[in-house]
């Protein structure tokens, strides 16, 4: 992207120069001032460009009628007062509003505290996903509710890299103009998290290190979190009244790490594939963690329970000994531990894990997510067998790994993220509730 276009986009201006109102005056006067000085936007450094904008804004606000602070403006009814917004956050604010993610107040933190944005309406799961995906890796995204009223976004950044906020604005613009770019940014962030999980040791019977890592990750998300008597890590997330759904993946691997545990990225496939013999089932863990980031913002109403089980590779021992009190109210289970892509395992060939209708719900979710080739099938041994034996309707979903337990084990990161999209669709469309309600009615 040429500098002249990039500078405009990063600061919230349309690159084709068709701005109107006070924003159009501000941009026009800034460019005219630069031309009189014999300077072009392409020749300026970003800092010089920001200084030129600030100088023009000062003159304009002194001699013109400028709207009040953004906190006094409803962006659905009035022009967004871009001229009043902090320089490192204004691009983010502009492109969020262009995507109908309406802000009412913002601050870039001035390099001393996190950047903040407040929203007119609660964010949906999709809107939250856009924000997370567009944040560069040095920005830590946090959400909370300010004074019980407005939803607040906190962007924790390294003060040495305030420019990351400008990069985030550029990415948001890309997603606004080209919605398909969202998957590219999501895949980039998802793969980083996957690689961090692959680097943690955890052979069967010695899962302490990965379990501690997951405890830290879950602490801020789960209402209840504990380790049962057998070492399984169990969590509960409340999302209102409704059914209780179990999500599960195993945290153990077949063996300990070799001296060099780094994943080998196959660059010939645009870094989509990773060769690593611990993809089974770190990919499933990563998929569940991704869903947990947004499930409270989805239209799912019910309780989500998470079971990260131990010793699956040695006979599903963790799930067999899982705390039965934790499972007593579970209406349905989803295991994320199937090789390949787009399989919905509903039996082991002789014993069904669930009624056919339950598996077909995930075929429906796949079609709604633009992936109509998700299909029910038979499979082998997994924790889904165990949960089904407890009377819980269960499926096991593909999560992209191949050739497990060999030196050629490979993980398709894109396929793993597509499993996340399947899960997000199933929960956001609330597809599981009618099946569970009907089943409960029949049982009663």
């Amino acid at each position: 992207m040429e500098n002249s276009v990039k500078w405009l986009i990063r600061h919230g201006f349309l690159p084709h120069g068709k701005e109107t109102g006070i924003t159009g005056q501000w941009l026009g006067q800034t460019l005219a001032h630069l031309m009189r000085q014999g300077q072009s936007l392409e020749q300026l450094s970003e800092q010089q460009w920001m200084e030129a904008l600030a100088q023009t804004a000062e003159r304009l606000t002194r001699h013109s009628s400028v709207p009040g602070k953004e906190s006094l403006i409803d962006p659905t009814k009035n022009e967004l007062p871009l001229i009043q917004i902090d320089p490192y956050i204004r691009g983010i604010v502009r492109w969020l509003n262009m995507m109908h993610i309406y802000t009412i107040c913002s601050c870039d933190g001035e390099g001393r505290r996190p950047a903040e944005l407040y929203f007119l309406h609660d964010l949906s799961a999709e809107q939250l996903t856009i924000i997370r995906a567009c944040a560069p890796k040095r920005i830590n995204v946090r959400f909370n509710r300010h004074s019980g009223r407005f939803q607040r976004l906190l962007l924790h950044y390294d003060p040495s890299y305030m420019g990351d906020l400008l990069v985030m604005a550029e990415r948001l613009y890309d997603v606004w103009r080209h919605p398909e770019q969202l998957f590219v940014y999501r895949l980039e962030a998802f793969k980083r998290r996957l690689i961090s999980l692959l680097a943690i040791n955890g052979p069967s019977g010695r899962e302490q290190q990965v379990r501690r890592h997951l405890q830290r990750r879950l602490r801020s998300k789960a209402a209840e979190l504990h380790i049962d008597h057998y070492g399984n890590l169990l969590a509960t997330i409340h999302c209102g009244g409704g059914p209780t759904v179990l999500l599960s993946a195993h945290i153990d691997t077949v063996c300990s790490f070799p001296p060099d545990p780094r994943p080998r990225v196959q660059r010939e496939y645009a870094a989509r594939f990773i060769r690593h013999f611990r993809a089974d089932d770190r990919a499933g863990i990563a998929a569940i963690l991704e869903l947990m980031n947004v499930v409270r913002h989805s239209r799912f109403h019910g309780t989500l329970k998470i079971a990260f089980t131990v010793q699956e590779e040695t006979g599903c021992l963790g799930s067999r000994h899982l705390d039965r009190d934790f499972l007593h109210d579970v209406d349905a289970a989803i295991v994320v531990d199937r090789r390949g892509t787009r399989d919905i395992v509903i039996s082991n060939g002789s014993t069904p894990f669930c009624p056919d209708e339950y598996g077909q719900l995930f075929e429906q979710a796949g079609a709604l997510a633009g992936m109509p080739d998700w299909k029910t099938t038979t499979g082998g041994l997994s924790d889904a067998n165990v949960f089904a034996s407890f009377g819980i309707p269960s499926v096991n979903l593909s999560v992209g790994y191949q050739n497990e337990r060999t030196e050629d084990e490979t993980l398709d990161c894109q396929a793993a993220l597509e499993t996340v999209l399947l899960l997000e669709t199933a929960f956001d469309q609330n597809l599981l509730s009618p099946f569970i309600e009907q089943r409960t009615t029949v049982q009663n």
Side-chain angles (χ1 to χ4, degrees), residues 39 119 140 241 265 269 292 375 381 404 425:
Q39 295 176 301
F119 298 96
N140 192 4
V265 177
Y269 296 109
M292 289 177 67
K375 299 297 179 184
L381 181 66
E404 65 275 16
T425 303

Side-chain angles (χ1 to χ4, degrees), residues 33 43 101-102 245 289 335 337 371 416:
H33 173 70
Q43 295 170 331
I101 307 174
Y102 296 115
V245 180
L289 292 176
V335 176
D337 182 27
M371 302 177 289

Side-chain angles (χ1 to χ4, degrees), residues 137-324:
K137 65 180 180 180
R138 285 187 295 247
I139 291 181
N140 192 4
V141 178
R142 290 284 182 269
F143 286 88
N144 60 28
R145 192 168 297 281
H146 184 67
S147 302
R149 185 181 177 190
F150 295 114
Q151 199 167 60
R152 177 171 66 170
L153 165 67
L154 295 172
L155 300 174
H156 296 264
Y157 60 87
D158 184 336
S160 303
Y161 298 97
M162 281 193 76
D164 282 349
L165 295 171
L166 303 177
V167 173
M168 184 171 176
E170 192 176 328
R171 290 180 169 203
L172 288 166
Y173 172 84
D174 285 345
V175 171
W176 172 55
R177 297 300 300 158
H178 307 286
E180 67 277 5
Q181 187 67 22
L182 175 62
F183 188 85
V184 176
Y185 289 138
R186 282 200 77 178
L187 183 58
E188 176 187 311
F190 180 66
K191 185 176 156 190
R192 284 199 307 268
R193 291 189 281 271
L194 256 175
I195 289 175
S196 70
L197 284 170
L198 290 170
I200 306 172
N201 213 338
S204 289
R206 290 180 285 155
E207 299 94 344
Q208 297 91 332
Q209 189 176 349
V210 65
R211 186 169 54 220
R212 282 195 297 268
H213 172 83
L214 292 173
Q215 276 183 287
R216 291 192 295 270
R217 295 283 298 272
L218 298 181
R219 198 167 287 131
S220 63
K221 297 181 175 66
E224 302 160 27
L225 180 65
H226 73 280
I227 299 170
D228 71 8
H229 68 284
Y230 206 77
N232 301 299
L233 180 60
L234 309 177
T236 303
I237 299 174
H238 300 294
C239 303
T244 298
V245 180
L246 175 69
L247 268 175
S248 182
H250 66 87
I251 64 176
D252 61 316
T253 56
V254 177
C255 58
S256 296
F257 292 177
D260 182 4
R262 291 172 298 180
R264 289 169 287 171
V265 177
Q266 295 182 324
R267 298 187 185 280
E268 62 269 29
Y269 296 109
R272 169 177 169 174
F273 295 87
I274 296 174
R275 290 188 64 193
H276 203 290
F277 65 84
R278 287 171 300 284
D280 173 14
D281 187 29
R282 299 300 166 79
I285 295 171
I288 291 173
L289 292 176
E290 195 77 8
L291 177 70
M292 289 177 67
N293 283 330
V294 299
V295 69
R296 279 203 186 96
H297 299 262
S298 74
R299 286 171 283 188
F300 170 67
H301 297 289
T303 298
L304 184 64
K305 289 193 169 183
I306 309 296
F308 287 130
T309 61
V310 298
Q311 299 183 51
E312 190 273 350
E313 298 287 5
T314 53
C316 300
L317 297 180
S319 57
R320 294 183 195 279
H321 293 87
L322 198 144
D323 183 352
R324 295 299 180 88

Side-chain angles (χ1 to χ4, degrees), residues 73-76 101-104 118-122 150-151:
I73 297 294
D74 180 344
T76 65
I101 307 174
Y102 296 115
T103 61
I104 57 168
Y118 297 80
F119 298 96
L120 186 62
H121 307 293
D122 283 357
F150 295 114
Q151 199 167 60

